[in-house]
Amino acid sequence: MRVGMLTSGGDCQALNATMRGVAKALYNMYDDVEIIGFEDGYRGLIYMDYRIMKSSDFSGILTVGGTILGTSRTPFKEIRIPDENGLDKVAAMKQTYAKLKLDCLVVLGGNGSQKTANLLYEEGLNVIHLPKTIDNDLFGTDVTFGFQSAINIATEAIDCIHTTASSHGRVFIVEVMGHKVGWLTLYAGVASGADIILLPEIPYDLDVICKALRARNKAGKRFSILAVAEGAISKEDAALSKKDYKKKLEERAAIYPSVSYELGAQITKATGQEVRVTVPGHTQRGGEPCPYDRVLSTRLGAEAAALIAKKKFGYMVAYIGDDVKAVPLKDVVGKLKTVDPECNMVKEARMVGISFGDR
Ligand code: F6P
């Protein structure tokens, strides 16, 4: 039994924990299993850059962040484009798989990596996908590994900002990762008691935000904290065509590093209040996985091994309800899981007085 494994796209905390789950379950099931680890994601599969792993490679890594295999971004839209030397990447990956006589390939990755995994499955390779991302935006699974660990870090960052914001009586914006979705900001914002939460799924109105800030001042609150998703968007910008919004972002980038800085300047101009912006950035993907993610990863990994044993390929191992389930890749690929603006969590957050900057 020869199993290839790779980690692709942006890293997160529980990649090693998940690989360990797969490997330990396989080693317990088979005497003759050999795991081939590809270096730096699909790059390793394309260019035959790999390591034959030993079982000891998977020991002591449950708590270690990052990925022992390394990772890289191989954008799906470029996968069919030959490299600078004219190499057909898809054909190269298939050749590596055949040359190494792999029985299957386990891919740990987010949306883009999932698309490539599905493509390889359609091309005849035995593929299993494990849902990785701090963004929690993979369709078909309630939760992705990395998400909870990132929530902890973003929450701690906002907790720390609370004390300094309170001392100085300032408005603070904490910008939270999440790419085009607001899961991480929503959870970290609620967990840390942010006063205003801005998500890409709920476009904001500057006047509404300023009104909420003034109301807090009037109520004698010395400070305010905004948890702002890196993809947050104003109502005005949300009304633009894709092309015009792209242009707007290019113009903004020449003045402000991100949406939070633009918003901070707008708030100061409108209210005269001092605003500070904090961007925890990649710290949200760093450090050790939290206990929740260690458990989740171990379960997902073990289930991936069970699928391999059953020769059930072309699936993502998902977490649904309180159970681990195999979901066909064809049912989930290319779909984004976004926050429903009408979901109970948003409603409940509004009930405790959190503003989403929209009304
Ligand atoms: O997808 C994970 C993520 O951390 C997003 O939240 C963020 O937008 C992006 O990756 C950052 O990518 P990079 O590490 O390439 O800067």
Side-chain angles (χ1 to χ4, degrees):
M1 164 79 75
R2 297 197 105 193
V3 177
M5 208 182 272
L6 62 86
T7 55
S8 168
D11 73 343
C12 73
Q13 292 88 346
L15 283 162
N16 289 329
T18 309
M19 288 193 276
R20 170 187 175 273
V22 182
K24 287 210 179 251
L26 284 174
Y27 289 134
N28 278 328
M29 275 190 272
Y30 297 95
D31 290 332
D32 61 341
V33 68
E34 189 163 59
I35 298 178
I36 312 279
F38 292 100
E39 310 271 355
D40 298 338
Y42 287 111
R43 196 192 60 70
L45 186 62
I46 296 168
Y47 299 105
M48 273 203 68
D49 190 1
Y50 65 91
R51 262 187 284 160
I52 297 177
M53 311 295 285
K54 301 185 296 291
S55 79
S56 58
D57 290 326
F58 297 99
S59 289
I61 61 168
L62 176 64
T63 60
V64 180
T67 160
I68 56 169
L69 291 181
T71 186
S72 64
R73 292 198 185 275
T74 316
F76 180 70
K77 57 177 186 273
E78 289 168 25
I79 213 80
R80 289 276 188 201
I81 302 171
D83 77 356
E84 58 282 7
N85 300 314
L87 181 81
D88 179 332
K89 293 172 205 153
V90 176
M93 287 192 279
K94 287 168 70 178
Q95 265 167 31
T96 302
Y97 183 96
K99 264 191 204 156
L100 294 176
K101 297 188 172 30
L102 295 182
D103 291 296
C104 75
L105 177 70
V106 178
V107 173
L108 288 74
N111 277 304
S113 313
Q114 186 189 61
K115 284 185 193 165
T116 303
N118 184 55
L119 172 84
L120 293 175
Y121 174 65
E122 286 173 351
E123 291 279 333
L125 271 50
N126 295 332
V127 178
I128 287 173
H129 171 244
L130 285 154
K132 164 242 66 163
T133 171
I134 63 162
D135 302 340
N136 196 34
D137 60 353
L138 276 162
F139 190 86
T141 183
D142 291 352
V143 68
T144 55
F145 60 86
F147 178 52
Q148 289 291 337
S149 302
I151 292 173
N152 289 1
I153 294 170
T155 301
E156 208 178 308
I158 304 175
D159 286 349
C160 290
I161 290 301
H162 250 104
T163 57
T164 177
S166 151
S167 308
H168 287 267
R170 283 171 172 160
V171 173
F172 260 94
I173 295 178
V174 182
E175 184 172 290
V176 180
M177 272 190 174
H179 201 218
K180 291 180 180 164
V181 305
W183 292 108
L184 192 50
T185 311
L186 177 61
Y187 275 76
V190 171
S192 60
D195 307 300
I196 299 173
I197 295 178
L198 303 183
L199 311 178
E201 295 88 344
I202 307 178
Y204 63 82
D205 179 335
L206 179 64
D207 291 340
V208 174
I209 294 171
C210 293
K211 215 171 136 198
L213 293 173
R214 287 195 196 98
R216 278 183 58 79
N217 284 348
K218 252 197 190 152
K221 307 276 169 66
R222 275 175 55 77
F223 68 94
S224 293
I225 295 186
L226 291 86
V228 175
E230 62 178 346
I233 184 167
S234 68
K235 285 188 177 177
E236 226 178 326
D237 287 350
L240 295 174
S241 67
K242 235 182 170 182
K243 194 175 148 217
D244 286 347
Y245 181 54
K246 206 173 157 219
K247 195 169 156 237
K248 150 84 209 263
L249 288 184
E250 279 162 16
E251 286 164 8
R252 186 180 78 193
I255 312 168
Y256 303 110
S258 68
V259 63
S260 299
Y261 291 89
E262 181 187 39
L263 184 62
Q266 288 168 335
I267 291 173
T268 299
K269 195 170 167 216
T271 66
Q273 294 194 56
E274 195 175 11
V275 181
R276 291 285 188 275
V277 177
T278 297
V279 183
H282 288 77
T283 62
Q284 293 162 97
R285 282 194 350 220
E288 61 181 30
C290 66
Y292 179 96
D293 270 337
R294 295 178 202 179
V295 174
L296 177 67
S297 292
T298 303
R299 293 186 65 186
L300 295 177
E303 210 53 45
L307 289 181
I308 295 170
K310 284 183 224 153
K311 299 195 188 323
K312 224 174 139 185
F313 301 113
Y315 286 89
M316 168 178 78
V317 188
Y319 194 68
I320 302 168
D322 197 16
D323 218 352
V324 182
K325 289 187 180 140
V327 176
L329 278 174
K330 66 172 170 38
D331 294 348
V332 295
V333 74
K335 296 182 188 167
L336 201 65
K337 186 182 70 183
T338 57
V339 175
D340 174 3
E342 299 305 325
C343 72
N344 285 344
M345 185 163 171
V346 169
K347 279 186 193 149
E348 288 142 9
R350 288 191 198 275
M351 283 165 70
V352 299
I354 294 172
S355 166
F356 285 83
D358 59 330
R359 56 172 121 118

